[in-house]
Amino acid sequence: MRRVLFLIIFLCSMIPVSAQTLPFAEGEVDVSAPYVGQPIIYTLRIFTTESIENSTIIEPSFFGFGRSRVTFEPGSYTESRDGIGYQVIEQSYVIYALRAGELTIDPFRVDIPETPFSEARIIVTDAITITVQDFPDPAPESFVNAVGQFDIIAQANPTTLSSGDALTLSVTISGTGNFEQMLAPEINLPEDWRLFDGQTSFQQDSLRFGTKTFTWSVLVQGDGSTTFPAIEFSYFNPQTQQYESRNTAPINLNITPTTAQPQATVERTQVVSTSVPVPALMTIGNSSTIPPNPPIWLWSIWIFPPLVTFAIWLFARPKRERRQRPVARKPRKQSGNKALKALRADLLEAQSLEAKDAYQEIATAIYAYLGTKTGETVTANNAKEAMKGFPANYRDVLLSSLEEANAGQYAPVTQDDVRVLSQRMLKVCVAIEKASR
Amino acid sequence: MPSLHKIVFLKNVGLRYISTVGLCLLILTIITTSFTQAQNLELAREAYENGNYSAAIDLYELALLEGDVSGEIYFNLGNAYYLTGQPGKALQNYRRAEMYLPRSSAIAAQITLIRAERVDGVLIEADWVVVSHDITSGYLTLTETGVIVFMVWLLFFVVLGLRIRKGGWLATLSVLTVAMLIAIGLLGTRVYVQTQRPAAVVITETTQAMTGPGEEYFQLFVLYEALELRVLDERDGWLRFALPDGRQGWIRASSVGYIPNRLG
């Protein structure tokens, strides 16, 4: 038994625990001697046998390179290296060299945090040195900065239009290359035509291929059939190591004459002339002298409206609180006319209040009216008692209105309801007075 | 020995005499200065019309230095810079002119022209704060925006006061609250962008954007003349900037011209 145990331990010690299963990373570029501005795809691969979910990838500075704003989702696959199956995480970056000469892409660093099964690790890629080539001379006149392989198409819409009208010209360049830095090709127009509103849109179709569209509005002049001049676009092809030029097909236009005069003034987003006209001077001293930036006192007066409103609130608050507090009115037996007059004043005041407060005020006014008539303190409890001497039909109306006034304090009511209830109460009380006479 | 009364009398007469002479001198200085300024502007106009744009630039710059600031002078100076092949300084002055005369179609046309002609073309602003700022800046000066928003503010508090006094006005107050919040938002972004992210224009032919405030930092990309940017920070002669498309970096302060950002 002891011999078997010894054999197992010996065999286990022979299994390589080893550095071979440790994660590692490598970087690779798709071209080792690119031209200035030529897109370079840098691929970072992280080989691992364990989860590296919380790892941090620290990118190098890419000194001497520009970095594309287009980003790509990382990919993942398995690969066997030296008989070990690794999970490979792959991330690609598109960069381009800013100058000729030897440039070095510094190492990527991956910080893998500590887990219950392994300690924290830092893995780095090797630095990559590439030799960037400058463009050969002489470059064609229409070459600006495009590097790659491209096709160019031009479209005009509409192709039949009146003289002085604008057409939309779109030039679409597709292929592989430095789309992000690519400038618009030069558009040569007849002297009296005008180019408006240059707009650019760029779409990266895949890691290598993309499409860039330049759009302009062109104001055409003339009469009859004419041809929109071909647009020449030159680029440097790194594959053939030569400059290449592409021309758009000429576009036939049918321009009809117009009697309308060209606009003297232009819209805010318009006007780009192909020549350099001398702009007219503005006459000085005609405009108002209001400064564009407000003087400091203009900012300070902002405080006054809230201050005045606060003062109004402070002034109005005791009155509101007085209204909300149940007022113990000292009952004093008075003539019906005086009671009616006081009631009318109270009901009128109630109408200037908010609906809910107004209902409470109406109920209080009726109790006060009854108190004045009876010479006793009248509340909801003894209101019926106080109305004993009233004609039965008026008493019922008054009681139901009082109930409504009390209930209305807790129900959705409007200013119109307040007015209707006040008028009804007043009518009943006037009728009671007449009946009592 | 002169009496005390005499001394006081002479002193009063002397003071009155000095004040009168002083006032006359002040008026004379103002008249002379105005005359000189008007003369300079007339000379600038003549130089411009004769095609001597450099002289026109000097004279307009002199007028601005002497405090004769207006949208028209900035526009005319922008024209002179444009015709001497300095689109960066031209755009800077057109943008200054636009601050004074935001509804001028002539200024707008020249700004559009330079934006279309510059290497970087027309860039679409991606920052919503700046977009919000641009809603009003194309049509109203900051003073006009401030006055309009103040009117909404005043109306809001008038209606609030009426509600406190007499009740009601709830619907009007709700509408005014929404209007006031929008108006204050627009004014707030306008003031914020103008003070915290002042606009500037690249005035040199090219300038290299770096990752930090110094030559020892990494190079990012090249900015070309007449590109407009927003300044986020300033340190040791370097500016941290943001472009309309969101790119950021540091450039030398001497390579850009500010568009004024004073608030009065």
Side-chain angles (χ1 to χ4, degrees), chain A residues 61 63 69 98 183 198 268-273 276 278-284 287 290-294 299 301-302 305-306 309 312-313 315-316 320 352 354, chain B residues 45 48 72 75-76 79 82-83 98-100 104 107-108 110 112-113 116 119 122 142-143 146 149-150 153-154 157 160 164-166 194 218 220 247 262-264:
Chain A
S61 62
F63 178 71
R69 291 196 297 280
L98 294 173
L183 299 172
R268 184 169 185 76
T269 54
Q270 288 182 341
V271 177
V272 177
S273 167
V276 182
V278 178
L281 289 179
M282 275 188 182
T283 313
I284 294 162
S287 69
I290 298 171
N293 294 324
W299 299 112
I301 61 169
W302 283 67
T309 312
I312 290 171
W313 178 76
F315 177 73
R320 286 174 76 86
S352 65
E354 265 193 64
Chain B
R45 189 186 62 77
Y48 182 89
E72 290 86 352
F75 177 76
N76 294 347
N79 284 345
Y82 178 65
L83 292 166
E98 196 186 34
M99 289 180 70
Y100 287 79
S104 164
I107 297 172
Q110 287 303 111
T112 311
L113 175 68
V119 174
V122 178
L142 185 59
T143 307
V149 178
F150 177 73
W153 172 260
L154 186 65
F157 280 103
L160 186 64
I164 291 169
R165 286 277 298 160
K166 298 190 171 181
Q194 200 163 319
F218 299 125
L220 281 174
R247 281 180 290 166
R262 299 183 308 273
L263 282 182

Coordinates of all heavy atoms in Angstrom, one line a residue, chain A residues 61 63 69 98 183 198 268-273 276 278-284 287 290-294 299 301-302 305-306 309 312-313 315-316 320 352 354, chain B residues 45 48 72 75-76 79 82-83 98-100 104 107-108 110 112-113 116 119 122 142-143 146 149-150 153-154 157 160 164-166 194 218 220 247 262-264:
Chain A
S61 N 1.0 54.4 -26.0 CA 0.6 55.8 -26.4 C 0.5 55.9 -27.9 O 0.0 56.8 -28.4 CB 1.7 56.7 -25.9 OG 2.9 56.3 -26.5
F63 N 2.9 56.5 -29.9 CA 3.7 57.7 -30.3 C 4.1 57.7 -31.7 O 4.7 56.7 -32.2 CB 4.9 57.8 -29.4 CG 5.8 59.0 -29.7 CD1 5.4 60.3 -29.4 CD2 7.0 58.8 -30.3 CE1 6.2 61.4 -29.6 CE2 7.8 59.9 -30.6 CZ 7.4 61.2 -30.2
R69 N -10.8 56.5 -35.1 CA -11.9 56.6 -34.1 C -12.8 55.4 -34.2 O -13.7 55.2 -33.4 CB -12.7 57.9 -34.3 CG -11.8 59.1 -33.9 CD -12.7 60.3 -33.8 NE -13.4 60.7 -35.0 CZ -12.8 61.4 -36.0 NH1 -11.6 61.8 -35.9 NH2 -13.5 61.7 -37.1
L98 N 2.2 58.9 -38.7 CA 2.1 60.4 -39.0 C 3.4 60.9 -39.7 O 3.3 61.9 -40.3 CB 2.0 61.1 -37.6 CG 0.7 60.9 -36.9 CD1 0.7 61.6 -35.6 CD2 -0.5 61.4 -37.7
L183 N -9.3 63.9 -47.6 CA -9.9 65.2 -47.9 C -10.7 65.1 -49.3 O -10.4 64.2 -50.1 CB -8.8 66.3 -48.0 CG -8.0 66.5 -46.8 CD1 -6.9 67.4 -47.0 CD2 -8.9 67.0 -45.6
G198 N -20.5 72.0 -48.1 CA -19.8 70.8 -48.1 C -20.1 69.9 -46.9 O -19.9 70.4 -45.8
R268 N -28.5 81.8 -44.3 CA -27.4 81.7 -43.3 C -26.4 80.6 -43.6 O -25.2 80.8 -43.5 CB -28.0 81.4 -41.9 CG -27.1 81.4 -40.8 CD -27.7 81.4 -39.5 NE -26.7 81.5 -38.5 CZ -26.0 82.6 -38.3 NH1 -26.3 83.7 -38.9 NH2 -25.0 82.6 -37.4
T269 N -26.9 79.4 -44.1 CA -25.9 78.3 -44.2 C -25.5 78.2 -45.7 O -25.0 77.1 -46.1 CB -26.7 77.0 -43.8 OG1 -27.9 76.9 -44.6 CG2 -27.0 76.9 -42.4
Q270 N -25.6 79.2 -46.4 CA -25.2 79.1 -47.8 C -23.9 79.8 -48.2 O -23.3 80.4 -47.3 CB -26.3 79.7 -48.7 CG -27.6 78.8 -48.7 CD -28.6 79.5 -49.6 OE1 -28.5 80.6 -50.0 NE2 -29.6 78.7 -50.1
V271 N -23.6 79.7 -49.4 CA -22.6 80.5 -50.1 C -21.2 80.1 -49.9 O -20.6 80.3 -48.9 CB -22.7 82.0 -49.8 CG1 -21.6 82.7 -50.5 CG2 -24.0 82.6 -50.3
V272 N -20.7 79.4 -50.9 CA -19.3 79.2 -51.0 C -18.9 79.5 -52.5 O -19.4 78.9 -53.4 CB -18.9 77.8 -50.7 CG1 -17.4 77.6 -50.9 CG2 -19.3 77.5 -49.3
S273 N -18.1 80.5 -52.7 CA -17.8 80.9 -54.0 C -16.5 80.1 -54.4 O -15.6 79.9 -53.6 CB -17.6 82.4 -54.1 OG -17.0 82.7 -55.3
V276 N -12.4 84.2 -55.2 CA -12.4 85.0 -53.9 C -12.9 86.4 -54.2 O -12.1 87.2 -54.6 CB -11.0 85.0 -53.3 CG1 -10.9 85.8 -52.0 CG2 -10.4 83.6 -53.1
V278 N -14.2 90.2 -53.4 CA -13.9 91.1 -52.3 C -15.2 91.4 -51.6 O -16.1 92.0 -52.1 CB -13.3 92.4 -52.9 CG1 -13.0 93.4 -51.8 CG2 -12.0 92.1 -53.7
P279 N -15.3 91.0 -50.3 CA -16.5 91.3 -49.6 C -16.7 92.8 -49.3 O -15.7 93.5 -49.1 CB -16.3 90.6 -48.2 CG -15.0 89.8 -48.3 CD -14.3 90.4 -49.5
A280 N -17.9 93.3 -49.4 CA -18.2 94.7 -49.2 C -18.0 95.0 -47.7 O -18.3 94.2 -46.9 CB -19.6 95.0 -49.7
L281 N -17.5 96.2 -47.5 CA -17.3 96.7 -46.1 C -18.7 97.1 -45.5 O -19.6 97.5 -46.2 CB -16.4 97.9 -46.1 CG -14.9 97.7 -46.4 CD1 -14.2 99.0 -46.3 CD2 -14.3 96.7 -45.4
M282 N -18.8 97.0 -44.2 CA -20.0 97.5 -43.5 C -19.8 98.9 -43.1 O -18.7 99.3 -42.8 CB -20.2 96.7 -42.2 CG -20.9 95.4 -42.4 SD -21.3 94.7 -40.8 CE -22.1 93.2 -41.3
T283 N -20.9 99.7 -43.2 CA -20.8 101.1 -42.8 C -20.7 101.2 -41.3 O -21.6 100.6 -40.6 CB -22.0 101.9 -43.3 OG1 -22.1 101.5 -44.7 CG2 -21.8 103.4 -43.2
I284 N -19.7 101.9 -40.8 CA -19.5 101.9 -39.3 C -20.4 103.0 -38.7 O -20.5 104.1 -39.3 CB -18.0 102.1 -39.0 CG1 -17.3 100.8 -39.5 CG2 -17.8 102.3 -37.5 CD1 -15.8 101.0 -39.6
S287 N -25.2 100.8 -36.5 CA -25.9 99.8 -35.7 C -26.1 100.4 -34.3 O -25.5 101.4 -33.9 CB -25.1 98.5 -35.6 OG -23.9 98.8 -34.9
I290 N -25.8 98.7 -28.2 CA -26.0 97.8 -27.1 C -24.8 96.8 -27.1 O -24.5 96.2 -28.1 CB -27.3 97.0 -27.3 CG1 -28.5 98.0 -27.3 CG2 -27.5 96.0 -26.3 CD1 -29.8 97.5 -27.7
P291 N -24.2 96.6 -26.0 CA -23.0 95.7 -26.0 C -23.5 94.3 -26.1 O -24.6 94.0 -25.6 CB -22.4 96.0 -24.6 CG -23.5 96.5 -23.8 CD -24.4 97.3 -24.7
P292 N -22.7 93.4 -26.7 CA -23.2 92.0 -26.8 C -23.3 91.3 -25.5 O -24.1 90.4 -25.4 CB -22.1 91.4 -27.7 CG -20.9 92.2 -27.5 CD -21.4 93.6 -27.2
N293 N -22.5 91.7 -24.6 CA -22.5 91.0 -23.2 C -23.2 92.0 -22.3 O -22.8 93.2 -22.2 CB -21.1 90.7 -22.8 CG -20.5 89.6 -23.7 OD1 -21.2 88.7 -24.1 ND2 -19.2 89.7 -23.9
P294 N -24.1 91.5 -21.5 CA -24.9 92.4 -20.6 C -24.0 93.0 -19.5 O -23.1 92.4 -19.0 CB -25.9 91.5 -20.0 CG -25.5 90.1 -20.2 CD -24.5 90.1 -21.3
W299 N -27.5 91.6 -14.4 CA -27.6 90.3 -13.7 C -28.1 90.5 -12.3 O -28.8 89.7 -11.7 CB -26.2 89.6 -13.6 CG -25.6 89.3 -14.9 CD1 -24.5 89.9 -15.5 CD2 -26.1 88.3 -15.8 NE1 -24.3 89.4 -16.7 CE2 -25.2 88.4 -17.0 CE3 -27.1 87.4 -15.9 CZ2 -25.4 87.6 -18.1 CZ3 -27.3 86.6 -17.0 CH2 -26.4 86.7 -18.1
I301 N -30.4 92.7 -11.2 CA -31.8 92.9 -11.1 C -32.7 91.7 -11.1 O -33.9 91.7 -10.7 CB -32.4 93.9 -12.2 CG1 -32.2 93.3 -13.6 CG2 -31.8 95.3 -12.1 CD1 -32.9 94.0 -14.7
W302 N -32.0 90.5 -11.4 CA -32.8 89.3 -11.3 C -33.3 88.9 -9.9 O -34.2 88.2 -9.8 CB -31.8 88.1 -11.8 CG -31.7 88.1 -13.3 CD1 -31.1 89.0 -14.1 CD2 -32.2 87.1 -14.2 NE1 -31.1 88.7 -15.4 CE2 -31.8 87.5 -15.5 CE3 -32.9 85.9 -14.1 CZ2 -32.1 86.8 -16.6 CZ3 -33.2 85.2 -15.2 CH2 -32.8 85.6 -16.5
P305 N -37.5 90.3 -8.6 CA -38.8 89.6 -8.7 C -39.0 88.6 -7.6 O -40.1 88.6 -7.0 CB -38.8 89.0 -10.1 CG -37.8 89.8 -10.9 CD -36.8 90.3 -9.9
P306 N -38.0 87.7 -7.3 CA -38.3 86.7 -6.2 C -38.4 87.4 -4.9 O -39.2 87.0 -4.0 CB -37.0 85.8 -6.3 CG -36.1 86.3 -7.2 CD -36.8 87.3 -8.1
T309 N -41.9 88.9 -4.7 CA -42.9 87.8 -4.5 C -42.8 87.3 -3.1 O -43.8 87.0 -2.5 CB -42.6 86.7 -5.5 OG1 -42.4 87.3 -6.8 CG2 -43.7 85.7 -5.6
I312 N -44.6 89.6 -0.9 CA -46.1 89.5 -1.1 C -46.6 88.2 -0.3 O -47.6 88.3 0.4 CB -46.4 89.3 -2.6 CG1 -46.2 90.6 -3.3 CG2 -47.9 88.8 -2.7 CD1 -46.3 90.5 -4.8
W313 N -45.8 87.2 -0.3 CA -46.1 86.0 0.4 C -46.1 86.2 1.9 O -47.0 85.8 2.6 CB -45.1 84.9 0.0 CG -45.4 83.6 0.7 CD1 -46.3 82.7 0.5 CD2 -44.6 83.1 1.9 NE1 -46.3 81.6 1.4 CE2 -45.2 81.9 2.3 CE3 -43.6 83.6 2.6 CZ2 -44.8 81.1 3.3 CZ3 -43.1 82.8 3.7 CH2 -43.7 81.6 4.0
F315 N -46.6 89.0 3.4 CA -47.7 89.9 3.7 C -49.0 89.1 3.7 O -49.9 89.4 4.5 CB -47.7 91.0 2.6 CG -48.9 92.0 2.8 CD1 -48.9 92.9 3.9 CD2 -50.0 92.0 2.0 CE1 -49.9 93.8 4.1 CE2 -51.0 92.8 2.1 CZ -51.0 93.7 3.2
A316 N -49.2 88.2 2.7 CA -50.4 87.5 2.6 C -50.6 86.3 3.5 O -51.7 85.9 3.8 CB -50.6 87.0 1.1
R320 N -54.0 84.6 5.3 CA -54.4 83.2 5.0 C -54.6 82.4 6.2 O -55.6 81.6 6.4 CB -53.4 82.5 4.1 CG -53.4 83.0 2.7 CD -52.2 82.5 2.0 NE -52.5 81.1 1.6 CZ -53.1 80.7 0.5 NH1 -53.6 81.6 -0.3 NH2 -53.3 79.4 0.2
S352 N -63.0 85.1 -3.4 CA -61.6 85.4 -3.8 C -60.6 84.4 -3.3 O -59.4 84.5 -3.5 CB -61.3 86.8 -3.2 OG -61.2 86.8 -1.8
E354 N -59.2 80.3 -2.6 CA -59.1 79.1 -3.4 C -60.4 78.3 -3.1 O -60.9 78.4 -1.9 CB -57.9 78.3 -3.0 CG -56.7 78.6 -3.9 CD -55.6 77.6 -3.7 OE1 -55.8 76.4 -3.9 OE2 -54.5 78.1 -3.2
Chain B
R45 N -10.9 102.4 -44.6 CA -11.8 102.1 -45.7 C -11.2 102.4 -47.0 O -11.2 101.6 -47.9 CB -13.1 103.0 -45.5 CG -14.2 102.6 -46.5 CD -15.4 103.6 -46.3 NE -15.0 104.9 -46.7 CZ -14.8 105.3 -48.0 NH1 -15.1 104.5 -49.0 NH2 -14.5 106.6 -48.3
Y48 N -8.6 99.8 -47.8 CA -9.3 98.5 -48.2 C -9.8 98.6 -49.6 O -9.5 97.7 -50.4 CB -10.4 98.3 -47.3 CG -11.2 97.0 -47.5 CD1 -10.8 95.8 -46.9 CD2 -12.3 97.0 -48.3 CE1 -11.5 94.6 -47.1 CE2 -13.0 95.8 -48.6 CZ -12.6 94.6 -47.9 OH -13.3 93.5 -48.2
E72 N -19.2 96.0 -36.8 CA -18.8 96.4 -38.2 C -17.3 96.5 -38.4 O -16.8 96.0 -39.4 CB -19.4 97.8 -38.5 CG -20.9 97.9 -38.7 CD -21.6 98.1 -37.4 OE1 -21.0 98.0 -36.3 OE2 -22.8 98.3 -37.4
F75 N -16.0 93.0 -38.5 CA -16.3 92.4 -39.9 C -15.4 92.9 -40.9 O -14.8 92.1 -41.7 CB -17.8 92.8 -40.2 CG -18.2 92.3 -41.6 CD1 -18.4 90.9 -41.8 CD2 -18.3 93.1 -42.7 CE1 -18.8 90.4 -43.1 CE2 -18.6 92.6 -43.9 CZ -18.9 91.3 -44.1
N76 N -15.2 94.2 -40.9 CA -14.3 94.8 -41.9 C -12.8 94.3 -41.8 O -12.1 94.0 -42.7 CB -14.3 96.4 -41.9 CG -15.7 96.9 -42.2 OD1 -16.5 96.2 -42.8 ND2 -15.9 98.2 -41.9
N79 N -12.7 90.9 -43.1 CA -12.6 90.9 -44.6 C -11.1 91.2 -45.0 O -10.6 90.5 -46.0 CB -13.4 92.1 -45.2 CG -14.9 91.7 -45.1 OD1 -15.3 90.6 -45.0 ND2 -15.7 92.7 -45.3
Y82 N -9.1 88.1 -44.5 CA -9.5 87.1 -45.5 C -8.8 87.4 -46.8 O -8.3 86.4 -47.4 CB -11.0 87.1 -45.6 CG -11.5 86.1 -46.7 CD1 -11.4 84.8 -46.4 CD2 -12.1 86.5 -47.8 CE1 -11.8 83.8 -47.4 CE2 -12.6 85.6 -48.8 CZ -12.4 84.3 -48.5 OH -12.8 83.3 -49.4
L83 N -8.8 88.6 -47.2 CA -8.2 88.9 -48.5 C -6.6 88.9 -48.5 O -6.0 88.9 -49.5 CB -8.7 90.3 -49.0 CG -10.2 90.3 -49.3 CD1 -10.7 91.7 -49.4 CD2 -10.5 89.6 -50.6
E98 N -19.9 88.6 -35.2 CA -21.2 87.9 -35.0 C -21.8 88.1 -33.6 O -23.0 88.0 -33.4 CB -21.0 86.4 -35.3 CG -22.3 85.7 -35.6 CD -22.1 84.2 -35.7 OE1 -21.2 83.6 -35.1 OE2 -22.9 83.6 -36.5
M99 N -20.9 88.2 -32.6 CA -21.3 88.4 -31.3 C -22.1 89.8 -31.1 O -23.0 89.9 -30.3 CB -20.1 88.5 -30.3 CG -19.5 87.1 -30.1 SD -18.1 87.2 -29.0 CE -18.9 87.5 -27.4
Y100 N -21.7 90.7 -32.0 CA -22.3 92.0 -31.9 C -23.6 92.1 -32.8 O -24.6 92.7 -32.5 CB -21.4 93.1 -32.4 CG -20.3 93.5 -31.3 CD1 -19.2 92.7 -31.2 CD2 -20.5 94.6 -30.5 CE1 -18.2 93.0 -30.2 CE2 -19.5 94.9 -29.6 CZ -18.4 94.1 -29.4 OH -17.4 94.3 -28.5
S104 N -26.8 89.2 -38.8 CA -26.2 89.8 -40.1 C -26.0 88.7 -41.1 O -25.2 87.7 -40.8 CB -24.9 90.5 -39.8 OG -24.2 90.7 -41.0
I107 N -22.2 88.6 -42.4 CA -21.3 87.9 -41.5 C -21.4 86.4 -41.6 O -20.4 85.7 -41.8 CB -21.4 88.4 -40.1 CG1 -21.2 89.9 -39.9 CG2 -20.5 87.6 -39.1 CD1 -21.5 90.5 -38.6
A108 N -22.7 86.0 -41.6 CA -23.0 84.5 -41.6 C -22.4 83.9 -42.9 O -21.8 82.8 -42.9 CB -24.5 84.3 -41.5
Q110 N -19.9 85.0 -44.7 CA -18.4 84.9 -44.7 C -17.9 83.8 -43.8 O -17.0 83.1 -44.1 CB -17.8 86.2 -44.2 CG -17.9 87.4 -45.2 CD -17.2 87.0 -46.5 OE1 -17.9 86.9 -47.6 NE2 -15.9 86.9 -46.5
T112 N -19.6 81.0 -43.2 CA -19.9 79.8 -43.9 C -18.8 79.5 -45.0 O -18.4 78.4 -45.2 CB -21.3 79.8 -44.5 OG1 -22.2 80.3 -43.5 CG2 -21.7 78.5 -45.1
L113 N -18.4 80.6 -45.6 CA -17.4 80.5 -46.7 C -16.1 79.9 -46.2 O -15.6 79.0 -46.7 CB -17.2 81.9 -47.3 CG -16.2 82.1 -48.4 CD1 -16.6 81.3 -49.6 CD2 -15.9 83.5 -48.7
A116 N -16.3 76.3 -45.1 CA -16.3 75.4 -46.2 C -14.9 75.3 -46.9 O -14.6 74.2 -47.4 CB -17.3 75.8 -47.3
V119 N -9.4 73.3 -44.3 CA -9.0 71.9 -44.6 C -10.0 71.0 -43.9 O -10.4 70.0 -44.5 CB -7.5 71.7 -44.1 CG1 -7.2 70.2 -44.1 CG2 -6.6 72.5 -44.8
V122 N -16.7 71.5 -42.8 CA -17.7 71.8 -41.8 C -17.8 70.6 -40.8 O -18.0 69.5 -41.2 CB -19.1 72.0 -42.5 CG1 -20.2 72.2 -41.5 CG2 -19.0 73.1 -43.5
L142 N -25.9 87.9 -26.3 CA -26.1 87.5 -24.9 C -27.0 88.5 -24.1 O -27.8 88.1 -23.3 CB -24.8 87.3 -24.2 CG -24.8 86.7 -22.8 CD1 -25.5 85.3 -22.8 CD2 -23.5 86.6 -22.2
T143 N -26.8 89.8 -24.4 CA -27.6 90.8 -23.8 C -29.1 90.6 -24.1 O -30.0 90.6 -23.2 CB -27.2 92.2 -24.2 OG1 -25.8 92.3 -24.0 CG2 -27.9 93.3 -23.4
G146 N -30.4 87.6 -22.5 CA -30.6 87.9 -21.0 C -31.9 88.7 -20.8 O -32.6 88.4 -19.9
V149 N -35.0 86.4 -21.4 CA -35.2 85.4 -20.3 C -35.6 86.1 -19.0 O -36.4 85.6 -18.3 CB -33.9 84.6 -20.1 CG1 -34.1 83.6 -19.0 CG2 -33.6 83.8 -21.4
F150 N -35.1 87.4 -18.8 CA -35.5 88.1 -17.6 C -37.0 88.5 -17.7 O -37.7 88.4 -16.7 CB -34.7 89.4 -17.5 CG -35.1 90.3 -16.4 CD1 -34.7 89.9 -15.1 CD2 -35.8 91.4 -16.6 CE1 -35.1 90.7 -14.0 CE2 -36.2 92.2 -15.5 CZ -35.9 91.8 -14.2
W153 N -38.8 85.5 -16.6 CA -38.6 85.3 -15.2 C -39.5 86.3 -14.4 O -40.2 85.9 -13.5 CB -37.1 85.7 -15.0 CG -36.6 85.8 -13.6 CD1 -36.4 87.0 -12.9 CD2 -36.1 84.8 -12.7 NE1 -35.8 86.7 -11.7 CE2 -35.7 85.4 -11.5 CE3 -36.1 83.4 -12.8 CZ2 -35.2 84.7 -10.4 CZ3 -35.6 82.7 -11.7 CH2 -35.2 83.3 -10.6
L154 N -39.6 87.6 -14.9 CA -40.4 88.6 -14.3 C -41.9 88.2 -14.3 O -42.6 88.3 -13.3 CB -40.2 89.9 -15.0 CG -40.8 91.1 -14.4 CD1 -40.2 91.4 -13.0 CD2 -40.6 92.4 -15.3
F157 N -42.8 85.5 -11.9 CA -43.0 85.9 -10.5 C -44.2 86.8 -10.3 O -44.8 86.9 -9.3 CB -41.7 86.6 -10.0 CG -40.7 85.6 -9.6 CD1 -39.6 85.3 -10.4 CD2 -40.8 84.9 -8.4 CE1 -38.7 84.4 -10.0 CE2 -39.9 83.9 -8.0 CZ -38.8 83.7 -8.9
L160 N -46.9 84.4 -10.1 CA -46.8 83.7 -8.8 C -47.4 84.6 -7.7 O -48.1 84.2 -6.8 CB -45.4 83.3 -8.5 CG -45.1 82.5 -7.3 CD1 -45.7 81.1 -7.4 CD2 -43.6 82.3 -7.1
I164 N -50.5 84.0 -5.1 CA -50.4 84.1 -3.7 C -51.5 85.0 -3.1 O -52.1 84.8 -2.1 CB -49.0 84.6 -3.3 CG1 -47.9 83.5 -3.6 CG2 -48.9 85.0 -1.8 CD1 -46.5 83.9 -3.5
R165 N -51.7 86.2 -3.8 CA -52.6 87.2 -3.4 C -54.1 86.7 -3.5 O -54.9 86.9 -2.6 CB -52.4 88.5 -4.2 CG -51.2 89.3 -3.8 CD -51.4 90.2 -2.6 NE -52.4 91.2 -2.8 CZ -53.0 91.8 -1.8 NH1 -52.7 91.5 -0.6 NH2 -53.9 92.7 -2.0
K166 N -54.4 86.2 -4.7 CA -55.8 86.0 -5.0 C -56.2 84.6 -5.4 O -57.3 84.3 -5.6 CB -56.2 86.9 -6.2 CG -56.0 88.4 -6.0 CD -56.6 89.2 -7.0 CE -56.6 90.7 -6.6 NZ -57.2 91.5 -7.6
Q194 N -19.9 80.2 -22.9 CA -19.1 81.4 -23.2 C -18.0 81.7 -22.2 O -16.9 82.2 -22.5 CB -20.0 82.6 -23.3 CG -19.4 83.8 -24.0 CD -20.5 84.8 -24.5 OE1 -21.5 84.4 -24.9 NE2 -20.1 86.1 -24.3
F218 N 3.1 63.1 -26.2 CA 2.9 62.4 -27.5 C 2.1 63.3 -28.5 O 1.2 64.0 -28.1 CB 2.2 61.0 -27.3 CG 3.0 60.1 -26.5 CD1 2.4 59.6 -25.3 CD2 4.3 59.8 -26.8 CE1 3.2 58.7 -24.5 CE2 5.0 59.0 -26.0 CZ 4.5 58.4 -24.8
L220 N -0.7 63.9 -31.3 CA -2.0 63.3 -31.5 C -2.3 63.5 -33.0 O -2.3 62.5 -33.8 CB -3.1 64.0 -30.7 CG -3.2 63.5 -29.2 CD1 -4.2 64.4 -28.5 CD2 -3.6 62.0 -29.2
R247 N -12.9 65.2 -30.3 CA -11.5 64.9 -30.1 C -10.9 66.0 -29.1 O -11.4 67.2 -29.2 CB -10.7 65.0 -31.4 CG -10.9 63.7 -32.2 CD -10.1 63.8 -33.5 NE -10.7 64.7 -34.4 CZ -10.1 65.2 -35.5 NH1 -8.9 64.9 -35.7 NH2 -10.8 66.0 -36.3
R262 N -16.0 87.9 -22.4 CA -16.4 88.7 -21.2 C -17.9 88.7 -21.1 O -18.7 88.6 -22.0 CB -15.9 90.1 -21.4 CG -14.4 90.2 -21.5 CD -14.0 91.7 -21.6 NE -14.8 92.4 -22.6 CZ -14.4 92.5 -23.8 NH1 -13.3 91.9 -24.2 NH2 -15.1 93.2 -24.7
L263 N -18.3 88.8 -19.8 CA -19.8 88.8 -19.6 C -20.2 90.2 -19.1 O -21.3 90.4 -18.6 CB -20.1 87.8 -18.5 CG -20.2 86.4 -19.0 CD1 -20.7 85.5 -17.9 CD2 -21.2 86.3 -20.1
G264 N -19.4 91.2 -19.3 CA -19.8 92.6 -19.0 C -19.2 93.0 -17.6 O -18.5 92.2 -17.0

